[in-house]
């Protein structure tokens, strides 16, 4: 169930991104990388042991802090994704 909730949060974030102001290349790159890693973890339980993926919740929370200043509407969704990742042990 938590995986489905996380997928819904990612979809919500993408929807909000589509209506957001332009973002700089660094934030876009970080968000794209995080999104890819989250989808990879959700599709394969083996990735949970990989150190690259073990800190996804912290990466998401750090990224939400960067978004807070430039895109305050997106920050809550990223924070919620970080919390959800933490709950599922990623």
């Amino acid at each position: 169930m938590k995986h489905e909730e996380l997928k819904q949060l990612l979809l919500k974030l993408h929807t909000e991104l589509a209506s957001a102001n332009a973002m700089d290349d660094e934030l876009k790159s970080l968000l794209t990388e995080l999104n890819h890693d989250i989808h990879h973890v959700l599709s394969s339980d083996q990735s949970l042991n990989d150190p690259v993926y073990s800190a996804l919740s912290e990466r998401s929370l750090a990224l939400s802090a960067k978004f807070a200043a430039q895109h305050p509407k997106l920050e809550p969704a990223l924070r919620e994704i970080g919390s959800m990742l933490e709950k599922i042990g990623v």
Side-chain angles (χ1 to χ4, degrees), residues 41-86:
V41 164
L42 292 177
S43 67
S44 170
D45 288 337
Q46 295 174 339
S47 302
L48 295 175
N49 297 323
D50 189 328
V52 171
Y53 303 109
S54 65
L56 283 176
S57 62
E58 287 126 14
R59 285 174 49 201
S60 178
L61 293 172
L63 189 55
S64 74
K66 288 185 178 197
F67 267 84
Q70 294 179 2
H71 303 281
K73 292 177 94 177
L74 299 176
E75 188 270 335
L78 277 168
R79 189 172 4 103
E80 194 171 348
I81 288 170
S83 295
M84 183 67 63
L85 287 166
E86 191 173 44

Side-chain angles (χ1 to χ4, degrees), residues 9 21-22 24 26-28 30 35-36 38 46 64 69 72 76:
L9 285 172
N21 298 333
D24 65 42
E26 178 190 9
L27 286 177
K28 186 182 278 187
L30 290 170
N35 183 50
H36 175 267
I38 290 170
Q46 295 174 339
S64 74

Side-chain angles (χ1 to χ4, degrees), residues 2 8 29 31 41 54 67 82 90:
K2 297 237 188 257
Q8 290 300 318
S29 175
L31 186 59
V41 164
S54 65
F67 267 84
V90 180

